[in-house]
Amino acid sequence: HAVTDVSPPPSVHLGGDEGPRTDGEASAAARPRAPAEGLAGPAALHGWFMRTVSAHLTSLGRRPLGWTETGTELPAAFTVLPWRDPEHGRGAALRGHDVIMAPFRSTYLDYPQSADPGEPRGQDGVLDLRGVYDNDPAPAHWEPEAAGRVLGTQAQLWTEYARTPAELEYLAFPRLCALAETAWSAHRDWPAFLHRLDRHRTRLAALGVRSRSPHTVPAP
């Protein structure tokens, strides 16, 4: 109850997708708990726990949110965030989940923005501005019932590698501008976006936002 007492929004994010399933095998507490709950073994405790907490939150009038690696592993009450493959979001939507699209190839802003050696250290790989702009929360080939379940999209900026507020701003902008357009506009026009972004950079600069210039990289 502590989280719901201090957090007024209707949704509560549970996370939990990367919890090692093998830990239960080595736990003296988990091994007897599994048969006590009628489960096949400790590996099934993760699903049992998510179902139990989901039911508790639902009884309090809240909506559980959780990451999904496959689109199939969370109880029906969850709003899911598929992060591996956009098609996992489609599968989850067809199963009846509401979906917030968060595929890492287009929404994880902790990836470097280019392969330039001066980029801040980050995950292996590159996610440039066009890669973020090409994010499509509800692709045209999806069934209407699947697209209708998509609540939107969101950016992730994990901070394992980010050392300073300046680096965080640099990683976020202007890629966050591209994600905002893909989230809020059904019309896509890459050249027109670049033209508007050129003007918007003036606003970012006036606000003191340390964004990535199209021609430079930050000092190492």
Side-chain angles (χ1 to χ4, degrees):
H1 285 274
V3 172
T4 57
D5 287 344
V6 301
S7 178
S11 296
V12 176
H13 202 302
L14 297 178
D17 67 311
E18 294 183 345
R21 306 296 195 270
T22 56
D23 283 358
E25 300 288 348
S27 169
R31 288 196 301 271
R33 185 63 181 266
E37 298 296 338
L39 305 174
L45 284 168
H46 178 271
W48 166 81
F49 178 78
M50 299 301 273
R51 291 190 299 272
T52 301
V53 178
S54 171
H56 177 65
L57 287 172
T58 302
S59 73
L60 296 175
R62 300 300 182 91
R63 187 73 182 269
L65 275 69
W67 297 103
T68 177
E69 295 196 45
T70 66
T72 63
E73 71 271 32
L74 290 174
F78 270 79
T79 296
V80 302
L81 295 95
W83 65 272
R84 282 193 179 274
D85 190 306
E87 286 302 297
H88 294 162
R90 174 174 170 261
L94 291 175
R95 293 179 69 239
H97 290 285
D98 286 338
V99 176
I100 299 170
M101 294 296 288
F104 75 95
R105 294 182 183 89
S106 58
T107 68
Y108 275 39
L109 304 187
D110 54 328
Y111 280 81
Q113 302 188 64
S114 79
D116 296 330
E119 289 285 345
R121 190 165 65 97
Q123 302 279 6
D124 292 334
V126 169
L127 175 56
D128 61 15
L129 185 67
R130 183 61 187 266
V132 177
Y133 191 80
D134 286 343
N135 171 47
D136 190 347
H141 71 275
W142 283 19
E143 298 86 346
E145 58 267 32
R149 286 281 187 177
V150 176
L151 303 181
T153 185
Q154 71 175 36
Q156 286 61 237
L157 210 175
W158 312 112
T159 57
E160 293 99 320
Y161 298 105
R163 297 167 295 182
T164 65
E167 282 191 1
L168 289 172
E169 287 187 357
Y170 175 86
L171 290 166
F173 292 96
R175 291 186 293 185
L176 198 57
C177 302
L179 190 78
E181 178 144 325
T182 68
W184 297 333
S185 175
H187 178 66
R188 301 294 182 87
D189 188 330
W190 174 245
F193 167 73
L194 291 179
H195 178 72
R196 294 193 303 277
L197 180 61
D198 187 56
R199 294 171 178 265
H200 189 60
R201 287 180 187 277
T202 304
R203 300 186 184 96
L204 294 175
L207 292 170
V209 175
R210 291 154 286 198
S211 63
R212 185 182 195 276
S213 161
H215 308 296
T216 62
V217 296

